[in-house]
Amino acid sequence: IVESVGEGVTDVKPGDHVFPIFTGECKECRHCKSEESNMCDLLRINTDRGVMLNDGQSRFSINGQPIFHFVGTSTFSEYTVLHVGCLAKINEEAPLDKVCVLSCGISTGLGATLNVAKPKKGSTVAIFGLGAVGLAAAEGARIAGASRIIGVDLNPKRFDEARKFGVTEFVNPKDYNKPVQEVIAEMTGGGVDRSVECTGSIMAMMSAFECVHD
C-alpha cells in the first residue's frame, strides 16, 4: 500500500494498492511503447544498480552505512522505496493476501501467450512446463480459443491441476523413446500452430521450436 510519494509523482497516491515490479516501465522508450517487449531501457532488471536513478543514492541505511535496493524493489522489507515505474496499481477490492502469491508467473505466462504468441481461435498450442508460468500460458491459450492445448511436463502429478487451466492433452517425455517434438508432430498431423516454453531449459526450448509445424 502506498504510504507516500515523491515530488512529481502523479501515477499513484497514498492509499493506493500496488504491485512492485522488478522489470519496470518508463512508458517512454521503444520497448515500453512496443506491444512485444517490456524490457524497458531505463528500468529493466539490473541486479547491480541498487540505488535510485535520479541521484544515484540508496534510501536505506543502518548505523550510517547504506543498504542497497535489491533488484529495484527490496520487497523483503516491510517498507521500501521504489521508482514509480516499478509499481502497478491494482484494484483495491483484490485481497492482498491472495494477489501477492500470483507474483510474476501469471502475467508472464498469460502475456506471452496472448500478446506474443497470439494463437488464433481453433488453433493448437503446446505448453512446455506446467508450473505457475505454464498454467498461466495455458489459460491464455484457452482464453484465445485454442481447440487443443497440449501440456508437456516430466511430472504427471501436475496434469490434474492443469486441466483446470484449459489443458486438453498431456505428454510426459519420459513415456516415449523418441524426442517429444516427434510425439507432438504425430499427435497433430505435422506440428502445433504455437508453442510456449515455460521451463528455461535449452533442451525444452529446442523441442518447443521443433514441434511447431513448418
Side-chain angles (χ1 to χ4, degrees):
I1 300 172
V2 176
E3 183 186 59
S4 60
V5 298
E7 183 180 351
V9 173
T10 58
D11 290 359
V12 296
K13 64 183 185 305
D16 283 349
H17 290 197
V18 292
F19 264 160
I21 305 167
F22 56 73
T23 297
E25 294 186 16
C26 71
K27 301 181 182 179
E28 298 296 330
C29 72
R30 61 178 179 173
H31 289 289
C32 286
K33 291 180 178 179
S34 164
E35 293 181 356
E36 298 181 346
S37 170
N38 70 334
M39 297 303 293
C40 177
D41 287 338
L42 181 68
L43 298 172
R44 70 174 62 194
I45 182 171
N46 181 344
T47 55
D48 295 326
R49 186 166 63 224
V51 294
M52 299 299 287
L53 288 169
N54 70 324
D55 61 6
Q57 301 295 314
S58 170
R59 295 296 182 267
F60 312 120
S61 65
I62 185 168
N63 298 327
Q65 296 298 313
I67 297 175
F68 295 102
H69 298 244
F70 180 62
V71 291
T73 58
S74 297
T75 53
F76 291 140
S77 59
E78 293 177 344
Y79 290 86
T80 186
V81 183
L82 299 86
H83 188 289
V84 68
C86 292
L87 289 174
K89 189 174 177 180
I90 63 172
N91 191 319
E92 292 185 13
E93 293 184 10
L96 294 176
D97 62 334
K98 301 289 194 305
V99 296
C100 64
V101 299
L102 295 178
S103 185
C104 58
I106 305 302
S107 56
T108 300
L110 195 74
T113 305
L114 290 177
N115 299 331
V116 182
K118 298 178 181 177
K120 293 181 171 62
K121 188 173 183 179
S123 61
T124 56
V125 180
I127 308 291
F128 284 75
L130 297 173
V133 177
L135 294 178
E139 176 73 1
R142 183 194 66 78
I143 292 171
S147 61
R148 297 177 70 183
I149 303 172
I150 302 169
V152 182
D153 202 292
L154 298 171
N155 183 0
K157 292 181 180 179
R158 291 178 164 182
F159 293 170
D160 284 344
E161 189 69 20
R163 286 190 177 90
K164 301 175 185 177
F165 291 83
V167 180
T168 58
E169 301 158 70
F170 300 92
V171 174
N172 184 343
K174 291 181 180 178
D175 294 340
Y176 302 90
N177 56 7
K178 55 184 167 183
V180 66
Q181 56 265 36
E182 294 182 13
V183 175
I184 294 174
E186 291 174 4
M187 292 172 61
T188 56
V192 294
D193 298 305
R194 300 284 190 276
S195 70
V196 186
E197 196 285 313
C198 305
T199 72
S201 160
I202 293 176
M203 293 301 295
M205 292 177 193
M206 293 170 62
S207 297
F209 178 78
E210 293 176 0
C211 80
V212 179
H213 66 65
D214 292 346

